[in-house]
């Protein structure tokens, strides 16, 4: 008998006598036996939550003016909360700085260490 893909997690997705576990093929109960020696640690690494790229929080940077914000935007000048209190004295938080995105800077740092 051909296996059926169980997309929704409902046993109704499967032929009679088989059970559903979402995102797997339908299985017979007899096939569902535990391993003889379970592992101490998980066998997979969860992926991080998706990050929204085009949000104002990722494009807010401290500076003395718009042009300064564009030329000095870096991880260290980020003010994701939008509050001037996140900035050094004499600077304010500017948002939607074109060409400056905190996600890009964090990715670059992770890839290059700089």
């Amino acid at each position: 008998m051909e296996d059926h893909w169980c997309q929704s997690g409902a046993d109704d997705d499967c032929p009679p006598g088989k059970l559903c576990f979402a995102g797997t093929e339908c299985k017979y109960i007899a096939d569902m036996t535990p391993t003889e020696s379970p592992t101490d640690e998980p066998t997979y690494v969860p992926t991080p939550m998706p990050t929204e790229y085009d949000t104002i929080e990722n494009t807010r940077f401290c500076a003395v003016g718009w042009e300064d914000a564009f030329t000095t935007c870096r991880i260290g000048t980020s003010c994701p909360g939008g509050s001037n209190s996140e900035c050094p004295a004499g600077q304010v938080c500017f948002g939607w700085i074109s060409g400056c995105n905190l996600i890009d800077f964090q990715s670059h740092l992770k890839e290059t260490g700089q």
Side-chain angles (χ1 to χ4, degrees):
M1 180 179 228
E2 184 178 317
D3 282 329
H4 293 276
W5 187 251
C6 175
Q7 185 172 4
S8 74
D11 289 338
D12 293 343
D13 286 348
C14 297
K18 287 192 171 188
L19 299 176
C20 177
F21 294 91
T24 67
E25 295 175 347
C26 299
K27 302 289 182 187
Y28 287 107
I29 290 178
D31 294 336
M32 306 303 289
T33 57
T35 58
E36 288 184 29
S37 55
T39 61
D40 292 331
E41 299 293 324
T43 55
Y44 66 92
V45 177
T47 58
M49 289 180 51
T51 303
E52 294 223 16
Y53 183 82
D54 288 323
T55 64
I56 192 166
E57 293 84 7
N58 294 331
T59 62
R60 290 179 177 150
F61 297 90
C62 299
V64 295
W66 281 98
E67 186 175 331
D68 183 48
F70 175 75
T71 60
T72 63
C73 57
R74 303 287 180 274
I75 292 174
T77 63
S78 174
C79 50
S83 171
N84 292 340
S85 65
E86 297 174 80
C87 300
Q91 295 186 359
V92 294
C93 185
F94 292 90
W96 293 118
I97 305 300
S98 179
C100 296
N101 192 301
L102 186 59
I103 302 300
D104 293 333
F105 298 138
Q106 290 170 334
S107 294
H108 180 76
L109 178 63
K110 186 176 181 179
E111 292 170 10
T112 66
Q114 8 180 357

